[in-house]
Amino acid sequence: MPEIRILPSNLRNKIAAGEVVERPASVVKELMENSIDAGASKIEIDIAKAGKRIIKVSDNGRGMDREDALLAFERYATSKIKNEDDLFNISTMGFRGEALASIVSVSKARLITAQKSEEKTEDKNIGACVEVIGGEIKETKDCSAIGTTIEIKDLFFNTPARRKFLKSDSTENYHIIDAVTREAISHYQIGFVLRMDGDDVLNLSSVTSYRERLVQVFGRELADGLIETAAEDIQMSIKAFLGNASNLRNNRNNQFLFINNRPVKDHSITYAVYKAYEELIPKDKHPIFFIFLAMDPRNVDFNVHPTKREVRFEDKSSVFDFVYRTAKEALRNGVTGYWSNGEITQNARYSETLMPQHANTSMISESPSMYEIMPQAGSIPFIYLTDTFIAIPERGGLALLDYHAAHERINYERLLKNIAMPSHKLLFPQQVKLQSSEYKLILDNIQVLDELGFEIEDFGHDTVIIRSLPEFLSGADLSALLSDVAASLISPAKIKDEDLELMHSVKKTIAAKLACHKSIRGKETPDGMKIAMLLKDLNTMENPNTCPHGRPTKIFISMNELRKMFKK
């Protein structure tokens, strides 16, 4: 009996769905791109239950006639390419013709569409309504419509194993908002409306430039802090908006790359931008940037990833050089002073001062720890090494301390215990505008933030009002801080009111992020008095040996280990 068999079409489509449809956001992205290709000037997205119950995308584009509406559900049915050469000259968002077939194979779908009349009219045209369940067309009938509306219900209803791996509603909503935001940024001439469970999350009218769209999405304060630049050569052109050296983040959330208006990820271009920021920003910080690169589609391959998320360039090095040179020049003209030059000079000078100061001090000793025998002095000698590392004498050896990690541990435990962490009431409550995805995550977890010492109110329009916060965070960049908190909340967990253990887990996650935000960093080399206080506080912690992320705070090298190193 033969063991090799041809898989039935429904199973083939489910396998394809596993490649294309990772989560509800994948469906939203594919359907939006179809609307963009159809020439829509307005796209409306309605979501229920984080896309697990309903995803509905409506547009006012060209629409389809009855025949095309039926063909659209067939795998590899597409109007975008006709021959092999077209694969290497892609000018549309979609082109393979597998997304819709894959989506409807794991959902219950309804398509309502009508081909736009050649006459300019707002009247509805007669088109088709097609019902599909699990990839099989169940009903087709005539109906009137403007453009196309496709409704996806009960995603993964027939593949429960896939549905089980979906994350919490909060996390899935975050990815949906992110997908819509990225398409909206690169297609500023299109109006986008995103509603979630009946509430408007995004409502963006069409505008005439990238900058106007950035103001709509991120607010004028962030947009005004961007350095705008443009350049072109014979192969490509670029439009870029780069955050200045004082507008930094602890994560990469505010980094966007578009090639021919397609949101993508490319490590080489990202590295080119980071290289342009070299010596301008600390190593543990991340710049904000928006890169819009345009090139001949024959010089870039969008067909290397099932979700078209990654690309391959014909001449990777020339793209890298072009982006790097453009960004470097813009930053040179837009930024005064070099961050790390000053830091290196300061740290080197500090280290040189300490070395003569402790030249006659035995740093390796079997006597009691220096900070134990000198409490009255309120200070201990140490040698600054580099970054956040110092060397201090310990009983019977030498300790290497990462003072940033130590400070994180102290702040973290105090936050969780709500001790020695008084809340700081802001004299003037501060409004903070966030990305829509971040805004929703913050509101979903406002109770946890309240327990950690924040007083936050919803102001609407992706904006919150901060009235108070933990005192050690006073003076922090609140926009960056809340962005970091939101990033830490993109988790697989779904919190129910009765789930106290999970609530505590989320609280620990946020506390770890907050503790990191204002802990001492490499550019803030402390003095002996601060180190003494730091060690004293560290010794009172429940877990003094690691920071909240599991990294060591202190490494001890005993005299015996040192003797072995020197072969004694």
Side-chain angles (χ1 to χ4, degrees), residues 14-22 75 98 162 305-307 309:
K14 285 181 181 179
I15 293 172
E19 297 176 342
V20 177
V21 187
E22 297 174 317
R75 197 172 179 201
E98 60 181 330
R162 294 289 309 284
H305 192 277
T307 62
R309 187 184 299 137

Side-chain angles (χ1 to χ4, degrees), residues 314-344:
E314 185 178 64
D315 188 352
K316 186 176 182 178
S317 61
S318 67
V319 176
F320 176 93
D321 290 341
F322 180 66
V323 173
Y324 168 71
R325 282 186 282 106
T326 303
K328 185 73 172 176
E329 183 67 23
L331 291 170
R332 184 183 292 118
N333 295 333
V335 179
T336 57
Y338 279 69
W339 181 88
S340 67
N341 283 357
E343 184 208 28
I344 290 168

Side-chain angles (χ1 to χ4, degrees), residues 378-379 410 414 528-538:
S379 177
I410 294 164
R414 286 178 172 175
M529 190 170 288
K530 284 186 178 178
I531 291 295
M533 182 61 69
L534 191 71
L535 290 169
K536 181 181 177 183
D537 289 341
L538 186 64

Side-chain angles (χ1 to χ4, degrees), residues 225-372:
L226 298 174
I227 301 165
E228 184 175 347
T229 188
E232 62 179 311
D233 64 13
I234 58 172
Q235 292 183 312
M236 66 198 92
S237 65
I238 188 173
K239 183 84 168 177
F241 298 85
L242 309 171
N244 59 45
S246 63
N247 193 2
L248 304 173
R249 294 290 187 267
N250 289 337
N251 59 60
R252 300 173 186 264
N253 280 6
N254 289 294
Q255 298 178 352
F256 297 82
L257 169 63
F258 305 91
I259 299 176
N260 293 354
N261 286 332
R262 184 189 299 277
V264 297
K265 294 181 179 180
D266 183 82
H267 295 300
S268 64
I269 292 181
T270 300
Y271 178 61
V273 178
Y274 270 83
K275 188 167 176 60
Y277 277 95
E278 206 168 44
E279 297 188 341
L280 289 175
I281 63 175
K283 291 180 180 178
D284 61 344
K285 293 289 188 178
H286 303 279
I288 296 170
F289 62 79
F290 303 84
I291 305 290
F292 303 90
L293 199 61
M295 62 177 61
D296 189 324
R298 288 169 293 190
N299 295 334
V300 57
D301 185 2
F302 293 106
N303 201 29
V304 297
H305 192 277
T307 62
K308 305 183 285 287
R309 187 184 299 137
E310 298 171 7
V311 295
R312 182 164 47 219
F313 299 107
E314 185 178 64
D315 188 352
K316 186 176 182 178
S317 61
S318 67
V319 176
F320 176 93
D321 290 341
F322 180 66
V323 173
Y324 168 71
R325 282 186 282 106
T326 303
K328 185 73 172 176
E329 183 67 23
L331 291 170
R332 184 183 292 118
N333 295 333
V335 179
T336 57
Y338 279 69
W339 181 88
S340 67
N341 283 357
E343 184 208 28
I344 290 168
T345 304
Q346 176 189 351
N347 286 345
R349 195 179 301 121
Y350 193 88
S351 209
E352 287 168 7
T353 303
L354 281 172
M355 284 297 186
Q357 178 183 340
H358 301 303
N360 297 321
T361 303
S362 175
M363 294 302 294
I364 301 173
S365 170
E366 292 187 6
S367 61
S369 168
M370 195 69 93
Y371 59 85
E372 288 177 2

Side-chain angles (χ1 to χ4, degrees), residues 20 49 56 115 135-136 168 205 208 210 219 267 288 294 312 328-329 373 401 406 409 412 415 437 446 471 476 544 554:
V20 177
K49 197 66 177 173
K56 180 181 175 183
Q115 200 165 33
E136 293 185 17
S168 68
S205 59
T208 58
Y210 290 124
H267 295 300
I288 296 170
R312 182 164 47 219
K328 185 73 172 176
E329 183 67 23
I373 63 172
L401 179 75
R409 166 53 62 180
Y412 173 71
L415 268 173
S437 51
I446 207 162
E471 190 168 58
K554 185 170 63 172

